[in-house]
Amino acid sequence: CQCICFFLSVVFIFVNLISCHNNKIELRHENHVALFIFGDSLLDNGNNNYISTILDFRANFWPYGETFFNYPTGRFSDGRLIPDFIAQFAGLPLIPPYLKPGNPEFRNGVNFASAGAGALLETHQGLVVDLGTQIKYFKKVETSLRQELGVAKAKNLLSKAVYLIGIGGNDYLTKNSTMVSNEEFVSMVIGNLTLAVKEIYKKGGRKFGFMEMMPLGCLPYIKAQNGGCCINGITQLAELHNSGFPKALNELKEKLNGLKYAHYNFFESVSERLNNPSKYGFKDATACCGYGEGRGVYSCGGKRGITEFILCENPDDYLFFDAYHFSEKAYRQFAKLMWSGTIDIVWPYNFKTLFQANDQMF
């Protein structure tokens, strides 16, 4: 009898442990927050490896990826990008590129970003995955999640997810001055951005993260074309965008019930590091990999028509890795500010709040 009682006690404890474990799994599932990414080369983690495009919009060759991954992944940096760090801070694995072949797993999110892409269809048309097409891909993912998880669980996942959007720089860098006025052009870009937000919202998205335009006229490539000086006209387009987009967000917030967002002052973060690189641990605000003044010739890797390039010994010493794109160290700093920065740099919420807070805490 004592043996039977002991056996039953052990079984009871074991069943309770299993039940507790399953409850924890279910709880983690309920609190799970996925990350979906839309954007250009600052956020593209390899989608352009799988499309027909030119080498200007690819980074799947050495020395890209040389520090963290030790091989080229398609990321335009020596290592990780902002979404990689945001995922790490949120306790997620590296988010996969949408176009990577194989069996897709979307529960943690997916990355739709494409190097060279713009908010406008016409920007590098035929060579990139524009924002509108990225949204179409997201709708396919939403359908796949509904089929896999069921309507209720898919809706729950999509409503808790965070949607990171960083796009528009390529539109402004390629603007034809004879087309329309700067104000009209910026309005077109912002219009397409807000349309994308509305489409994601229709599918259940409620929490968004946005990156401002950086001072585009001060990229190493632009400065190399202008005797080492910034081109203010290009930066003015970025400033027009940065003054107009928050107004558009406020209007969206009024119309879309439950919309929450983090708006990151990317312009200020980059400007500070351009003006005072040593304060942020950089020896130089130029590029690690390239050619010519400030290594501003976009020849990193020697595969883009110009074979000559110089590669620095330590990318962490440089703000930029190539003539357009940042080093992993810079991306890490930006991501930290986005994740836990104060209201003067990311507002009205930071990314940590978006990921960790439930609806009742807003």
Side-chain angles (χ1 to χ4, degrees):
C1 183
Q2 286 180 339
C3 289
I4 293 173
C5 289
F6 175 77
F7 175 75
L8 290 174
S9 297
V10 170
V11 170
F12 179 77
I13 292 169
F14 180 74
V15 169
N16 274 297
L17 285 171
I18 292 292
S19 176
C20 180
H21 178 69
N22 288 338
N23 286 338
K24 286 181 179 179
I25 290 174
E26 187 64 30
L27 185 62
R28 281 202 301 270
H29 177 73
E30 289 177 0
N31 293 329
H32 180 73
V33 179
L35 175 62
F36 294 92
I37 301 128
F38 306 81
D40 54 30
S41 59
L42 298 183
L43 304 179
D44 181 1
N45 65 345
N47 279 305
N48 278 19
N49 294 350
Y50 309 107
I51 66 173
S52 177
T53 189
I54 57 177
L55 287 170
D56 280 12
F57 304 137
R58 279 192 177 159
N60 58 344
F61 48 86
W62 183 86
Y64 292 100
E66 65 164 354
T67 56
F68 181 79
F69 298 99
N70 297 315
Y71 68 94
T73 64
R75 291 168 172 83
F76 286 76
S77 181
D78 60 294
R80 290 163 290 182
L81 307 179
I82 286 172
D84 300 317
F85 290 110
I86 295 294
Q88 177 187 330
F89 301 155
L92 293 168
L94 290 173
I95 305 300
Y98 174 74
L99 294 176
K100 183 178 181 179
N103 296 320
E105 170 55 66
F106 299 133
R107 295 191 192 199
N108 292 316
V110 69
N111 189 327
F112 303 99
S114 170
L120 304 178
L121 173 64
E122 298 78 13
T123 300
H124 300 140
Q125 188 172 4
L127 298 172
V128 299
V129 183
D130 65 279
L131 180 60
T133 303
Q134 292 180 33
I135 295 299
K136 289 178 183 176
Y137 289 161
F138 168 69
K139 290 178 179 178
K140 290 183 178 181
V141 168
E142 186 262 347
T143 300
S144 176
L145 285 169
R146 278 195 284 113
Q147 292 171 347
E148 179 187 353
L149 303 176
V151 174
K153 286 185 177 180
K155 183 179 179 182
N156 181 61
L157 185 150
L158 293 169
S159 68
K160 290 181 182 297
V162 172
Y163 301 84
L164 169 59
I165 302 177
I167 200 166
N170 289 306
D171 299 302
Y172 298 128
L173 286 170
T174 58
K175 178 186 180 294
N176 186 330
S177 59
T178 62
M179 287 174 55
V180 294
S181 71
N182 285 350
E183 289 76 13
E184 289 174 310
F185 192 79
V186 169
S187 180
M188 290 163 57
V189 172
I190 291 176
N192 278 17
L193 275 167
T194 55
L195 181 62
V197 173
K198 290 176 182 176
E199 292 300 307
I200 296 169
Y201 182 91
K202 286 178 186 176
K203 297 299 181 181
R206 293 297 181 269
K207 298 187 291 185
F208 294 81
F210 301 102
M211 296 170 61
E212 273 191 354
M213 292 299 105
M214 60 176 154
L216 296 167
C218 292
L219 291 168
Y221 176 83
I222 301 297
K223 292 170 73 174
Q225 311 300 307
N226 195 41
C229 299
C230 299
I231 297 181
N232 293 330
I234 300 175
T235 296
Q236 285 170 2
L237 278 168
E239 290 174 319
L240 276 174
H241 177 100
N242 293 342
S243 63
F245 191 53
K247 297 173 185 175
L249 284 178
N250 282 332
E251 291 176 9
L252 278 177
K253 191 177 179 183
E254 293 296 319
K255 296 175 183 176
L256 305 180
N257 185 44
L259 178 73
K260 303 291 188 299
Y261 62 86
H263 182 264
Y264 172 49
N265 190 343
F266 194 30
F267 190 97
E268 183 67 20
S269 293
V270 176
S271 296
E272 287 181 354
R273 286 158 179 78
L274 284 169
N275 295 330
N276 194 358
S278 61
K279 180 180 176 182
Y280 300 94
F282 300 104
K283 291 182 180 179
D284 209 322
T286 56
C288 163
C289 184
Y291 194 68
E293 184 173 355
R295 294 174 187 164
V297 175
Y298 188 46
S299 63
C300 186
K303 293 181 178 291
R304 299 189 176 107
I306 302 173
T307 57
E308 297 87 357
F309 72 97
I310 298 170
L311 178 65
C312 72
E313 290 185 11
N314 183 11
D316 281 357
D317 289 340
Y318 291 82
L319 178 61
F320 292 89
F321 183 65
D322 68 18
Y324 284 103
H325 308 99
F326 296 98
S327 62
E328 183 190 76
K329 180 176 177 177
Y331 282 127
R332 184 190 295 113
Q333 291 182 4
F334 300 145
K336 283 184 177 179
L337 290 169
M338 293 167 70
W339 180 257
S340 57
T342 52
I343 200 166
D344 60 317
I345 200 73
V346 55
W347 70 90
Y349 306 104
N350 58 31
F351 279 68
K352 182 178 181 180
T353 303
L354 290 183
F355 271 94
Q356 296 184 355
N358 56 42
D359 294 338
Q360 288 73 36
M361 294 176 69
F362 280 113

